[in-house]
Amino acid sequence: MASPRHGSPGLIMDFMQPEHITAGQYYDERAAKISALIDEELRKESARRKDAARREVKVMLLGQAESGKSTLQKQFQLYYASQTLDHERPSWRPVVYFNVLKAVRMTLDELDYELSSQAKEVEDPNAITEIPVASSSSRPLPSPPIRSTDAEAIQREIGELRAKLLPVVALEDTLASELSGGVSVSVSGRTGAYVRAGWQALVTSAWPLGDSRPTLIKSHSTESIQLAAKTLASTSESIKALWAHHAVKRLLEAKKLRLEESAPFFLDSIDRIAEPDFLPTNDDILNVRLQTLGVMEHTFPINMGGVTYDWKLYDVGGARGQRHAWVPYFDDATAIIFLAPISAF
């Protein structure tokens, strides 16, 4: 039988059979194909990263404590990503409660201080001094002295209101601890509410999927918030009576009642806030005051000239002891917005 000719179909088919390819050749070819696919994916990923970097705008919000950094961030969120703010709305409910509790406590403390100071200064119990006319300086006006008989009546009335509002004052530190996630930060000897990134998960019943924290901790947080809501509902009339008291009004006129700027807004709205189905409005969210710990990143897609840019706002803690956390974010920041409170001037 004649052997097949060189280059005949039969010989070509024989060489195409797998048994004529060694294992080393087979795996080398396969490894080369896989390597080529990996290189192509890396090139595509590099191109995607470069395109994303061109569309990424990193903005740092800097300034001293309570200068309005978080408020500006919320205004960005309200304007460019209002749907995310709607999703977070229930988590702001305990923050509004905390602001009301703090305003009531500060009002009572200021009243006690002013009444005790004026009681020591009154020399003639029948003397009445008119309120001095405001000067061109920004210094607060001295509040007028009070008759000893009037002072006793005011102290008695304020004492009765304080007794009714004791549950409100007692809840402030408890709610601050819940908002802070158990982190205890003391300023001037008093604990405050300081939040980190992801704090909303600590104060809402809708916890993230896969959360491994015990149910007991979640229910305890919810119970504390419900207790604050019930306490405000039961004491709303006393809160209104305190805020409408003529001694408070006199201190406000004399600019001697040192409250946070948003306190009047919440105390004027106590009826609405004390409702069982209360849900914070946009004005409530913009007016709340809450200290930031560390650095919180917020992302907003902003369309500029037909191109969607990915804005990243970094809201940083403004307290002096937290400013070292700012440093790593200066390296690739696109812009810096520095805020200063007008009230400081």
Side-chain angles (χ1 to χ4, degrees):
M1 181 177 179
S3 61
R5 291 175 302 169
H6 180 70
S8 65
L11 185 61
I12 295 175
M13 289 180 65
D14 286 343
F15 275 101
M16 290 295 291
Q17 298 303 316
E19 57 268 21
H20 293 283
I21 301 177
T22 65
Q25 290 175 328
Y26 174 77
Y27 286 114
D28 285 346
E29 291 179 4
R30 184 170 179 80
K33 290 179 180 179
I34 293 174
S35 178
L37 289 174
I38 293 174
D39 290 341
E40 181 63 24
E41 287 299 320
L42 288 174
R43 282 192 291 269
K44 291 180 179 179
E45 180 64 21
S46 177
R48 283 194 294 266
R49 286 178 179 272
K50 288 180 180 178
D51 183 62
R54 284 194 295 269
R55 296 169 182 264
E56 189 175 74
V57 179
K58 294 184 177 181
V59 180
M60 292 185 65
L61 302 179
L62 303 182
Q64 70 182 63
E66 299 186 14
S67 59
K69 299 183 295 296
S70 297
T71 302
L72 179 61
Q73 173 268 311
K74 286 181 285 188
Q75 289 172 330
F76 264 94
Q77 186 176 4
L78 180 63
Y79 191 81
Y80 293 106
S82 58
Q83 69 282 0
T84 62
L85 194 64
D86 290 336
H87 179 71
E88 296 175 0
R89 200 174 297 276
S91 67
W92 290 101
R93 186 169 168 238
V95 183
V96 173
Y97 291 158
F98 174 76
N99 277 250
V100 174
L101 301 180
K102 186 176 181 180
V104 170
R105 191 261 306 165
M106 291 180 68
T107 302
L108 289 170
D109 288 350
E110 290 291 328
L111 277 172
D112 288 346
Y113 174 78
E114 289 296 330
L115 289 174
S116 61
S117 298
Q118 289 190 3
K120 294 177 182 177
E121 294 173 0
V122 173
E123 296 178 355
D124 184 358
N126 296 317
I128 301 178
T129 304
E130 294 183 356
I131 300 177
V133 179
S135 64
S136 59
S137 68
S138 59
R139 295 179 180 177
L141 296 172
S143 54
I146 305 173
R147 290 176 182 266
S148 59
T149 53
D150 292 343
E152 291 175 1
I154 291 174
Q155 286 179 344
R156 184 173 61 254
E157 292 169 0
I158 298 301
E160 292 173 356
L161 286 172
R162 175 179 279 279
K164 294 178 181 178
L165 294 172
L166 275 178
V168 174
V169 177
L171 267 175
E172 182 186 353
D173 285 347
T174 302
L175 198 55
S177 178
E178 296 293 345
L179 292 171
S180 303
V183 177
S184 179
V185 181
S186 179
V187 177
S188 300
R190 188 168 190 89
T191 303
Y194 295 82
V195 296
R196 300 175 184 270
W199 65 269
Q200 287 94 341
L202 297 173
V203 295
T204 54
S205 56
W207 290 71
L209 294 176
D211 195 291
S212 59
R213 277 170 282 195
T215 305
L216 179 62
I217 298 178
K218 304 175 189 178
S219 61
H220 175 68
S221 177
T222 305
E223 288 174 4
S224 299
I225 296 168
Q226 293 302 323
L227 178 60
K230 291 178 181 178
T231 302
L232 287 179
S234 62
T235 59
S236 60
E237 292 301 322
S238 298
I239 294 174
K240 286 195 295 183
L242 174 67
W243 186 237
H245 198 280
H246 60 90
V248 174
K249 298 303 180 185
R250 176 158 45 190
L251 291 178
L252 285 172
E253 291 172 0
K255 298 182 180 179
K256 298 194 75 175
L257 191 59
R258 292 176 287 273
L259 299 176
E260 291 185 341
E261 293 180 6
S262 59
F265 171 81
F266 290 115
L267 292 176
D268 286 336
S269 307
I270 188 61
D271 282 333
R272 176 176 59 84
I273 294 172
E275 290 292 330
D277 57 348
F278 166 70
L279 193 65
T281 63
N282 290 340
D283 286 338
D284 291 332
I285 295 174
L286 290 174
N287 276 282
V288 292
R289 291 294 175 266
L290 200 58
Q291 298 279 7
T292 303
L293 273 182
V295 180
M296 300 174 68
E297 179 184 305
H298 305 271
T299 303
F300 307 104
I302 298 179
N303 188 286
M304 300 173 64
V307 180
T308 300
Y309 291 89
D310 186 25
W311 277 53
K312 294 183 183 295
L313 263 64
Y314 295 95
D315 181 12
V316 303
R320 189 180 299 275
Q322 299 185 56
R323 295 177 187 175
H324 64 278
W326 301 2
V327 177
Y329 295 86
F330 281 103
D331 292 339
D332 55 351
T334 307
I336 295 173
I337 300 177
F338 192 93
L339 293 92
I342 298 178
S343 58
F345 298 93

